[in-house]
Amino acid sequence: MSRLSGRAIAAVVLVTLTGRAAGSGGPPPLPDYVTAAATAPVDQAALAAGRLGIMKGHAPAAILYLDWRLLNGLRVDAASTASLATPCCGRSQNDESAWLAARRAVPGASTDLYYVATDREGPNYTAIPTCFPDAFVTATATLQARIARYEAKSPDVRAWLAAQDAVFDACSKSGVTLPVLAANAPAWLRADHGYQEAALALYDARLDEAERDFVAIGRDRGSPWQPLALYLQARVIQRRALDRPGADNFARAHEAIAKLESAPAGTYGKGEVERMKQVLDYHEQPAALLARLDRALNAPGVPGDVAVKFKDYQSLSATAPQMPDAADWIATLDPKDRAAGLAHARARWQASHKTAWLLAALSLAMPADADAGALVDDAARLPASDPGWLTARYHRLRLTIARRPPAELRAEVDTILARRDLTPSDRNIFLAVRAQSASSLADFAAHALRRPYCTGAGRGCVDGDWPAGDGMLGRQGHGYVGFGGDARAIIDRLPLAQRLTLARDPSLPREQRLDLSLTNYARAVLLQDDAAIDQTARALTGLLPQVRRDWLAIVATPPGPAKRFAEIVVMAKIPSLRTDLADYARPEGSEPSFAGYWVDWLRVPVGGKAPAPSFPPAGAYMPQGFWDGRDSDAGPDEADLPCAGKCGPGTFALHMPGFAAPLTAAALRERSHFFTDATIGPDARGARSLWEDALAFVTAHPNDPRAAETLYRLIRVARWGGNHEHLGRRAFMLLHSRYTGSVWAKRSPFYYDS
Amino acid sequence: MLFCCLFSVGCRRVRPAAPPQLVVWAWERPEDLRFLPQDVPIAVQTGFVEIAGDGFVARGRRFPLLTNAAPRIAVVHIQIDERDPPDWTPDLRRRVAAAVLHYALVLPVPEVQIDFEVRRSQRNILVDVLHDVRAGLPKPLSLSMTALASWCQEGWLDHATADEIVPMLFRMGRGDPSLRTRIEAGGDFLDPRCRHALALSADEPIARAPAGRRVYLFDPRSWTRSDFQTIRQQVERWR
């Protein structure tokens, strides 16, 4: 395959809008419309201000804990929100980086050291953290102090650094020893060396030796490390208790920590006492610790060190004989068995009358559940002042959208959308509800667009997995917008006439009109609707000017085989063209760089009918939805399009708005005139392939100026699209026999057959 | 003039394809793979690196892997914090490479794999990391990389200094499903370097894929004997 071909058929699945957005300050945002993780400042600010918004049942547990606090009238503040919303885990390299930079100031120090591993090999291929950031902070400060006092070129400073390198080596290796100190080493270096010996012994799990060394340092009034000794002794003794659990070792650890606790204010490490006690209790008295944490985490004010407390609380709750209420609530929101979870949540709601449990039950309910009606009634009774009110409203709308009067539903959602305190996520969710209850096509268009979650240049705010799909974003004002997944699903269920009207809607950004017009064009060609073909081709001269001449040729050619040929020529230039927004990708850049893969464009023979025409399933419109073009939505489809699957197991099934519902029958009838990937099968044998039509036209019109190029393109279509009846081979043979020496023949040295 | 006939039915009739070599990924979560046959190698995630701004977070495996046979491949997963785009300086590049090399070499394995999905604008970072890791690995060790399937249809992987490229035929998002369909229909990846291995997920079976390749198996949950047997039977039915 030539390099040219390689470029031409390059598949772009990541962010394909880079070229279009050139000069706009970076790539466009990822098309993420709903977040549950509260990583963005706007969400953290809302929580800190006590605004719960729509509770997302699939949010991280730490965020759900904040939700729990708000629902139970407990305070939340900015600091605790930030600490709980920050994803864990891992060790930041910033402190280590500062250490590596500091050590390079010493002449002769190795300059090719860029990383210090800080964990040791544990059982079953695990890695156990050994050295923590404070070790690097201390080492950096000490080295800088020694350089300031004795100069970087001092042999003693060099000796100090060699010893410290050995200490950090021991973070990940056993058997490391310190370099021997010179007999004439100064007192300061000897003191430092003693501390380094003790630290190395601790990392190497030689705990008796480490304890002895730290005790000696504690007794040495001349050592600059004496103030740290008490804390480090306690650390060593605590570690021994954890490594070798037993009453004696735990008792010694408690004693050492108590000694540190009773030391004078300002004693090094005193601030760590509570955490050290918690670590001991975690292993020694888990039930008592869990009860204590539950009290602390349900206190009116946010406890100090809330993230650490919550982590242990979650971990201990998972194995506790009986979960505390908050942990139970969090676990119930994402149960393995939705029905069992719903029954439990409802029972807890009836027993406790806590809003949190009502919301849990609502987030688990589906319209067909026996409990749904009662829950909806309960949700309606929740006062607007309740922090759970917005969540209750959302689920009430979700559970009743199919049976409530649309006008009443629209009025309710419009009132909510008029609020200024909605987070971007929640606004997008309510817009999705509003679009699905639209009164007309124009009303639908007014609510179909969503703003991607974060629009800061180059900064994403994506929670969960990295989104693999590219977006179909357009420019509106200074920001980006895109059709919500529900909106795209509804558009694909509309007949061509309504889609044509929508594509002309001036309120939609140019990019969205391009996407609509291209998919309309594919449908119009398959339906042989010349008026629609000309209408879309005219619009596309401005929307996709890269192939303007082709659009103009279509409009200028009267109906008949020549017009059909002109229609197919442009389809051979746009490999990502589809009839549906579900699997379409926007052509970007210049024509040779249009990305994607061709599909079989098969028309049903005159008088024939495609088998079981169907729409793409709603799941195909989810942010990371997988759809291979073959599944239909014949069965129940509960893809949670408004909330992108983040609001909980109770999903929001796609609801066709009132104006569109009666049109789906007509849309399905249109689909019976052509095959899609979902309907191609053995019955497609009698179908007419548009690619075959193009080959027949070229065969019959050897002097058409587009003939050779079309054969070249058909070879590529056969390789990466359909290859019925050896289309690629036949196009190749004709190209090389009739147009030998043409640039198109030279560009096609191969064909691929199957 | 050269006529290429790839994957013709006739060829397969003459020489039946050998069953593909399976490799099971042990992702970072508790895994008990003691049920695996001895001839199925394990690729174990040994390291996690997340690049954010001008720094990064690195750590080793936190969850146990139980196995009767030592893993054959050490996998280092790298990702970019989308909330804090990287400031890819030469210093950060060196530090990240050193961390990746550390976790790639914690086990005495003959193969190392880098799993690093990047956006279009971040491809240079992936290429840099691969280059530096390749340069730092002892010669006998081979370097593998996972790839979004779409990357195998483009030209930029020429810059990736890996011995093996593993296109992933799952979680492909919009657009890529057509490629998956193409593979099932007997097609192949454009980039010849992508024609030696591929990867599947236990929850997204594929009807058929080119024969004779190493097949990496991913499971979105901790592996079970049943998951493995199901996907193995599916793969062995490919013809």
Side-chain angles (χ1 to χ4, degrees):
Chain A
M1 185 68 65
S2 72
R3 290 179 65 84
L4 176 65
S5 301
R7 284 197 300 273
I9 64 174
V12 179
V13 177
L14 304 177
V15 179
T16 56
L17 308 180
T18 307
R20 179 179 54 76
S24 63
L30 296 170
D32 208 23
Y33 299 125
V34 177
T35 186
T39 49
V42 64
D43 290 299
Q44 291 186 20
L47 284 171
R51 287 185 282 116
L52 174 63
I54 298 177
M55 181 198 77
K56 317 290 188 305
H58 285 153
I63 300 300
L64 291 173
Y65 163 65
L66 288 169
D67 294 348
W68 168 266
R69 288 189 64 84
L70 292 176
L71 288 168
N72 285 281
L74 307 173
R75 283 197 301 277
V76 167
D77 56 38
S80 59
T81 302
S83 68
L84 287 163
T86 304
C88 168
C89 292
R91 189 177 61 80
S92 167
Q93 301 296 305
N94 291 343
D95 299 318
E96 184 178 312
S97 174
W99 160 248
L100 293 172
R103 68 181 296 288
R104 288 193 191 108
V106 178
S110 58
T111 55
D112 59 349
L113 180 63
Y114 298 105
Y115 180 70
V116 178
T118 55
D119 39 29
R120 284 199 176 201
E121 193 177 339
N124 299 314
Y125 304 101
T126 53
I128 299 175
T130 308
C131 299
F132 297 92
D134 59 343
F136 292 98
V137 173
T138 303
T140 303
T142 307
L143 176 58
Q144 287 168 341
R146 301 300 178 257
I147 287 174
R149 182 152 188 189
Y150 306 110
E151 295 191 1
K153 62 184 181 187
S154 155
D156 293 333
V157 169
R158 179 72 191 89
W160 182 95
L161 180 60
Q164 192 59 43
D165 280 346
V167 171
F168 284 140
D169 247 6
C171 293
S172 60
K173 298 176 195 147
S174 58
V176 176
T177 55
L178 287 192
V180 177
L181 206 55
N184 60 347
W188 72 263
L189 184 56
R190 288 195 173 282
D192 282 2
H193 201 78
Y195 177 75
Q196 289 168 326
E197 282 275 20
L200 195 151
L202 172 60
Y203 296 155
D204 217 20
R206 289 180 276 116
L207 301 180
D208 293 344
E209 189 179 329
E211 185 181 351
R212 191 180 61 234
D213 289 349
F214 284 127
V215 167
I217 290 169
R219 288 180 183 143
D220 183 358
R221 291 177 183 276
S223 170
W225 304 103
Q226 196 226 18
L228 282 67
L230 193 61
Y231 165 68
L232 291 167
Q233 283 175 53
R235 277 268 309 271
V236 172
I237 295 167
Q238 181 199 42
R239 177 159 174 191
R240 184 185 290 114
L242 301 182
D243 286 358
R244 297 196 286 273
D248 289 352
N249 285 340
F250 276 121
R252 278 206 69 207
H254 284 297
E255 188 184 340
I257 294 169
K259 194 172 171 186
L260 178 63
E261 189 173 19
S262 62
T267 300
Y268 185 89
K270 196 167 164 151
E272 294 294 305
V273 163
E274 287 306 314
R275 192 177 299 196
M276 293 171 82
K277 280 183 181 173
Q278 188 168 315
V279 170
L280 274 189
D281 288 347
Y282 187 96
H283 292 86
E284 192 187 13
Q285 302 173 353
L289 175 61
L290 180 57
R292 205 166 71 232
L293 290 173
D294 189 49
R295 283 194 298 276
L297 291 168
N298 284 285
V302 188
D305 215 3
V306 64
V308 174
K309 281 188 169 63
F310 180 72
K311 190 176 176 187
D312 280 356
Y313 177 73
Q314 275 290 92
S315 170
L316 288 169
S317 295
T319 53
Q322 187 168 3
M323 275 192 179
D325 210 22
D328 183 16
W329 181 77
I330 291 169
T332 303
L333 290 169
D334 192 13
K336 289 179 180 165
D337 180 339
R338 186 189 67 83
L342 173 59
H344 178 63
R346 183 133 196 262
R348 295 292 298 123
W349 158 237
Q350 287 170 336
S352 68
H353 294 290
K354 282 185 176 177
T355 303
W357 283 107
L358 171 61
L359 299 195
L362 283 167
S363 75
L364 290 159
M366 290 295 288
D369 289 332
D371 291 340
L375 289 170
V376 164
D377 293 342
D378 291 345
R381 283 192 284 272
L382 213 59
S385 57
D386 192 292
W389 185 83
L390 209 59
T391 309
R393 285 285 134 172
Y394 165 70
H395 287 294
R396 184 165 172 263
L397 290 163
R398 177 176 71 81
L399 293 165
T400 60
I401 189 170
R403 57 187 168 84
R404 279 178 69 187
E408 177 189 305
L409 199 134
R410 283 193 293 274
E412 181 176 338
V413 180
D414 284 343
T415 303
I416 294 172
L417 285 170
R419 292 170 58 147
R420 292 173 176 269
D421 62 350
L422 298 179
T423 61
S425 270
D426 293 350
R427 181 167 298 283
N428 283 334
I429 291 171
F430 281 114
L431 278 169
V433 180
R434 184 62 177 79
Q436 292 180 68
S437 56
S439 59
S440 66
L441 193 61
D443 190 34
F444 169 78
H447 298 94
L449 294 174
R450 317 286 146 74
R451 292 202 176 277
Y453 203 73
C454 292
T455 54
R459 298 183 74 85
C461 295
V462 181
D463 59 275
D465 297 332
W466 180 75
D470 60 321
M472 290 191 295
L473 297 174
R475 282 288 205 172
Q476 194 175 66
H478 295 295
Y480 291 92
V481 289
F483 284 129
D486 56 293
R488 287 190 290 125
I490 290 168
I491 291 168
D492 282 349
R493 284 155 173 75
L494 293 176
L496 180 57
Q498 280 69 29
R499 280 176 129 262
L500 289 169
T501 304
L502 196 59
R504 291 194 299 268
D505 191 323
S507 71
L508 297 179
R510 188 192 72 82
E511 292 88 346
Q512 271 64 42
R513 284 183 282 121
L514 166 64
D515 300 336
L516 284 168
S517 296
L518 274 176
T519 48
N520 286 343
Y521 174 78
R523 291 182 183 218
V525 171
L526 290 168
L527 293 170
Q528 295 187 71
D529 183 337
D530 285 330
I533 291 168
D534 285 349
Q535 179 184 327
T536 50
R538 281 195 197 92
L540 285 163
T541 56
L543 294 169
L544 194 66
Q546 297 96 317
V547 285
R548 186 167 186 270
R549 289 175 61 184
D550 295 295
W551 301 125
L552 290 173
I554 293 166
V555 175
T557 309
K563 187 177 186 73
R564 179 146 306 277
F565 177 66
E567 294 161 8
I568 304 168
V569 164
V570 76
M571 295 172 86
K573 294 181 180 178
I574 309 174
S576 63
L577 189 61
R578 299 291 185 274
T579 54
D580 293 291
L581 295 172
D583 54 347
Y584 153 94
R586 185 183 300 157
E588 297 282 346
S590 61
E591 184 273 311
S593 66
F594 287 173
Y597 306 91
W598 292 269
V599 294
D600 292 337
W601 295 112
L602 292 174
R603 288 196 56 254
V604 174
V606 176
K609 191 175 179 184
S614 59
F615 298 117
Y621 302 89
M622 288 288 277
Q624 298 191 62
F626 173 79
W627 185 51
D628 63 5
R630 290 173 300 175
D631 303 324
S632 72
D633 65 349
D637 190 338
E638 296 175 349
D640 189 16
L641 292 172
C643 201
K646 294 174 181 174
C647 286
T651 55
F652 197 138
L654 179 66
H655 177 75
M656 289 298 284
F659 81 91
L663 300 171
T664 52
L668 271 181
R669 274 198 301 278
E670 284 181 356
R671 287 171 178 265
S672 69
H673 292 284
F674 55 87
F675 289 90
T676 64
D677 280 355
T679 54
I680 285 178
D683 296 336
R685 284 196 195 99
R688 276 183 52 201
S689 160
L690 297 188
W691 306 128
E692 200 65 45
D693 286 355
L695 183 60
F697 187 90
V698 169
T699 305
H701 301 83
N703 295 323
D704 188 289
R706 296 162 294 183
E709 180 182 352
T710 301
L711 291 170
Y712 155 79
R713 293 188 183 278
L714 288 177
I715 293 168
R716 297 167 64 223
V717 166
R719 173 61 177 133
W720 301 106
N723 188 31
H724 296 295
E725 304 295 331
H726 307 285
L727 172 72
R729 186 173 71 189
R730 288 183 290 140
F732 180 92
M733 301 297 267
L734 187 58
L735 176 62
H736 283 267
S737 62
R738 190 188 277 174
Y739 306 102
T740 310
S742 70
V743 65
W744 303 110
K746 287 175 184 166
R747 288 184 186 181
S748 308
F750 310 119
Y751 72 87
Y752 295 84
D753 208 0
S754 58
Chain B
M1 192 178 299
L2 176 62
F3 288 67
C4 295
C5 173
L6 299 178
F7 314 112
S8 74
V9 174
C11 290
R12 281 195 301 277
R13 281 185 187 142
V14 173
R15 186 178 297 173
Q21 184 199 0
L22 302 181
V23 181
V24 166
W25 266 321
W27 228 237
E28 209 203 355
R29 61 193 172 207
E31 291 283 12
D32 185 350
L33 296 177
R34 287 174 293 182
F35 62 82
L36 279 184
Q38 290 288 323
D39 62 343
V40 176
I42 295 168
V44 58
Q45 185 183 332
T46 55
F48 168 93
V49 175
E50 182 174 55
I51 304 168
D54 62 354
F56 66 98
V57 163
R59 60 174 168 78
R61 184 181 180 84
R62 291 283 190 263
F63 299 98
L65 161 66
L66 301 178
T67 173
N68 291 328
R72 184 177 170 79
I73 304 165
V75 183
V76 180
H77 171 81
I78 311 169
Q79 63 187 40
I80 288 172
D81 183 350
E82 289 291 345
R83 295 164 297 137
D84 191 4
D87 179 10
W88 194 237
T89 60
D91 182 61
L92 179 59
R93 172 180 171 171
R94 283 190 287 265
R95 289 162 53 211
V96 167
V100 173
L101 273 166
H102 168 76
Y103 289 109
L105 295 170
V106 290
L107 297 180
V109 290
E111 299 178 63
V112 166
Q113 186 173 70
I114 302 296
D115 174 57
F116 189 9
E117 294 180 11
V118 290
R119 298 178 73 175
R120 176 170 288 267
S121 59
Q122 298 161 340
R123 288 176 178 176
N124 66 309
I125 300 177
L126 170 58
V127 169
D128 286 349
V129 169
L130 286 166
H131 175 273
D132 295 349
V133 171
R134 174 71 276 173
L137 278 182
K139 283 291 178 199
L141 269 65
S142 70
L143 178 61
S144 170
M145 67 174 283
T146 58
L148 297 181
S150 60
W151 295 352
C152 291
Q153 308 306 111
E154 307 173 34
W156 70 277
L157 284 176
D158 291 347
H159 302 289
T161 50
D163 304 305
E164 176 187 69
I165 296 175
V166 186
M168 296 179 289
L169 288 166
F170 59 95
R171 309 289 191 272
M172 298 195 294
R174 281 188 336 103
D176 261 4
S178 341
L179 173 57
R180 180 187 164 99
T181 306
R182 192 124 303 109
I183 295 292
E184 286 187 319
D188 210 336
F189 298 101
L190 175 62
D191 191 328
R193 296 182 67 203
C194 296
R195 296 179 185 167
H196 303 286
L198 52 88
L200 302 177
S201 176
D203 64 341
E204 290 182 23
I206 186 166
R208 175 186 168 198
R213 303 200 180 170
R214 201 180 206 195
V215 179
Y216 286 81
L217 303 177
F218 172 78
D219 197 331
R221 56 184 185 176
S222 292
W223 279 102
T224 62
R225 182 192 298 270
S226 165
D227 284 353
F228 174 72
Q229 287 174 343
T230 302
I231 193 167
R232 181 180 201 168
Q233 285 164 5
Q234 286 164 355
V235 169
E236 289 180 348
R237 278 200 298 268
W238 293 350
R239 289 293 182 268

